Every structure is written in C-alpha cells, then in structure tokens.
Amino acid sequence: MAEMATGGDVPTNNTIYINNLNEKINLNELKKSLKAVFSQFGEILEILAFKTLKHKGQAWVVFEKVKDATAAIEKMQNFPFYDKPMRIQYARTKSDVIAKADGTFVPREKRKRHEEKGRKRKDQHDANQAAMGVNPAYASAYGATPLSSQIPYMGGAKSTLPEAPAPPNNILFVQNIPHETNSMMLQMLFYQYPGFKEVRMIEAKPGIAFIEYGDEMQSTEAMQRLQGFKIKPDHPILITYAKK
DNA sequence: AGCACA
C-alpha cells in the first residue's frame, strides 16, 4: 500500500516533514512563509514547528489531501528557503488533525519509554492503517481554493488600466501586497515560473515589490499566471511592468 | 542531525 516513489523511504502521508530549515528564523515568520510556499499545492490544515533543541530546524505541514503533499515534495525539494535548501519527506506518522477528522485519533499518553512500548506502537500502527482508505469525515469539510480559481485569466483581452500601461519589461511591478507579506512569500509565488531571478521589496514602501525575470517573455508569463492572485482573501495583487 | 501534535 505504501508508495515509495517520493520523499525518501517513508510511505505517503497527508503531512510533509521538512528539515534543514534555517534555525535563525523566528517561528511565526517561518510558519507564515511555509504557508505561503505550500498553499499553492492545496489546502493546508495545520503547520507545526517548535524551537526546542530536538525540533528546531524542522516543520510539519499538514495537507488536506495526500496528493497535495506528494506534489509539494516533488516540486519544492531542495527549494532555497532562507538560504538553505529544504529537505522534504512524508511525515512518519499521521498528524492528529487528520486522525481526529477521520475518527482514528487516540490520545497519546505522556511519554513513557519504559513500559508497554511494543503494545502502544501496535495500537498506533493499527490506527494508522485503519485510516488509509477514503475519509469522508473531512473530505468535504474544507473548501479548497485551487490556484487556478484565484487567478482571473485575462484571456488575451487587453486589460484596461486607468493609466497608460508601461511597455513590457523583464521586471514586474507588484502592488496591493498585504503588509504582512515578506519577500520569501513572494519568492515562493514567483519562483515557480521560469526565468525567475529575484524579488526586491522596499522597506520604506510596504505593499509593493519588484520581481525580476530573465526576459520579457518570462515576466509576461508570470504576470499572466499570477495577476490578481490573493495572498490574502479579498486582497488581489496587481501586477504591471516596471517602468524602465 | 534531529518525526510533532503550544
């Protein structure tokens, strides 16, 4: 039943386990950036990260659907995140949110490693197995918003901007960015289109950014794909060419 | 390196 094609030697799971994360980044920002990075693959139920010795530099991202976790592993493996390549695998065990949703959650006791260990392991294993099938309990509980539905496709029609549009440029000018957005989030968004070079945000001017691509064809493609993208609900970004 | 359930 386990498919081993991706993410190392661990069977598929709703949850991805990420390590080699930059330990200097504070947890809130880290989680926000992870959310920004991985939301493109599907609905995320939860992101967990801890700063304890044993768990720093690691995070768990729980997807509603296993296939989204699979896509995330394939597409984001070794992605340079805060200057370090992410290492991504499936998590070894099912996340509590998932177990709760499919009815297989068994509260775990305080860690005791001296007694009944084998037996508890087996119970956990059985619970995991029991949930491997279809899980209608949570399948419809979350309204995933596919990336495509967030992107108003311009369909070749000229966008009628109030001001004279700038001529094509390999650098894009992005406006209406939520103020809590950081450059890593934007990098994640724009990196997925070919030719991506860099993101530049101006500290003194929140809400805008410049995104550079190798050439105009590439910047144009990215602009069309990400035009109106909502980093935050009811807050579509506006992308134009930067002025030369 | 390190697989959790703040």
Side-chain angles (χ1 to χ4, degrees):
Chain A
M1 161 133 303
E3 286 145 43
M4 316 280 226
T6 320
D9 47 2
V10 181
T12 60
N13 196 302
N14 287 64
T15 303
I16 56 174
Y17 167 76
I18 309 167
N19 66 0
N20 199 42
L21 293 170
N22 190 327
E23 299 175 11
K24 301 285 120 60
I25 310 305
N26 90 289
L27 282 193
N28 269 340
E29 174 171 352
L30 185 79
K31 288 190 190 177
K32 253 168 38 171
S33 294
L34 288 170
K35 176 105 185 275
V37 173
F38 286 107
S39 289
Q40 57 176 305
F41 300 104
E43 189 73 14
I44 291 170
L45 270 32
E46 191 176 25
I47 298 179
L48 294 160
F50 315 88
K51 64 285 166 192
T52 54
L53 303 306
K54 186 146 181 264
H55 302 297
K56 57 204 298 205
Q58 301 154 75
W60 288 259
V61 178
V62 187
F63 286 95
E64 184 195 351
K65 301 195 184 67
V66 173
K67 73 162 102 67
D68 297 334
T70 302
I73 292 173
E74 288 173 353
K75 303 277 175 38
M76 301 307 281
Q77 191 64 265
N78 299 128
F79 182 88
F81 188 72
Y82 294 107
D83 302 320
K84 301 188 68 180
M86 290 187 189
R87 299 282 138 75
I88 317 174
Q89 298 170 282
Y90 293 111
R92 293 208 181 114
T93 57
K94 183 189 291 193
S95 295
D96 287 357
V97 253
I98 300 295
K100 281 171 181 160
D102 69 20
T104 61
F105 179 68
V106 225
R108 72 180 63 70
E109 291 128 45
K110 293 284 186 182
R111 347 218 96 208
K112 300 180 179 164
R113 19 187 189 309
H114 49 284
E115 56 173 6
E116 294 244 14
K117 195 174 170 186
R119 187 189 158 168
K120 298 219 167 66
R121 273 242 188 86
K122 183 183 188 307
D123 290 347
Q124 178 60 47
H125 177 261
D126 290 349
N128 285 346
Q129 292 307 109
M132 293 292 279
V134 180
N135 301 319
Y138 68 89
S140 60
Y142 303 88
T145 308
L147 184 65
S148 57
S149 75
Q150 289 194 45
I151 302 172
Y153 179 54
M154 293 224 159
K158 287 125 216 113
S159 65
T160 45
L161 294 170
E163 292 161 29
N169 192 325
N170 67 310
I171 300 173
L172 299 175
F173 178 52
V174 186
Q175 302 170 76
N176 201 33
I177 298 168
H179 286 17
E180 57 269 33
T181 307
N182 61 35
S183 64
M184 181 56 63
M185 299 179 192
L186 291 179
Q187 182 184 323
M188 295 314 176
L189 204 52
F190 287 88
Y191 173 86
Q192 50 183 338
Y193 301 103
F196 173 85
K197 288 265 196 294
E198 71 164 351
V199 168
R200 288 192 297 277
M201 295 181 87
I202 294 83
E203 312 214 10
K205 299 205 123 228
I208 70 167
F210 294 92
I211 317 284
E212 182 171 347
Y213 283 86
D215 61 39
E216 293 173 3
M217 294 255 318
Q218 294 166 332
S219 63
T220 300
E221 170 75 8
M223 175 168 67
Q224 289 173 350
R225 303 299 295 270
L226 291 172
Q227 189 63 268
F229 185 88
K230 296 185 186 91
I231 293 170
K232 162 177 163 188
D234 301 318
H235 213 285
I237 60 173
L238 173 65
I239 310 175
T240 56
Y241 295 112
K243 288 175 189 157
K244 300 207 178 179

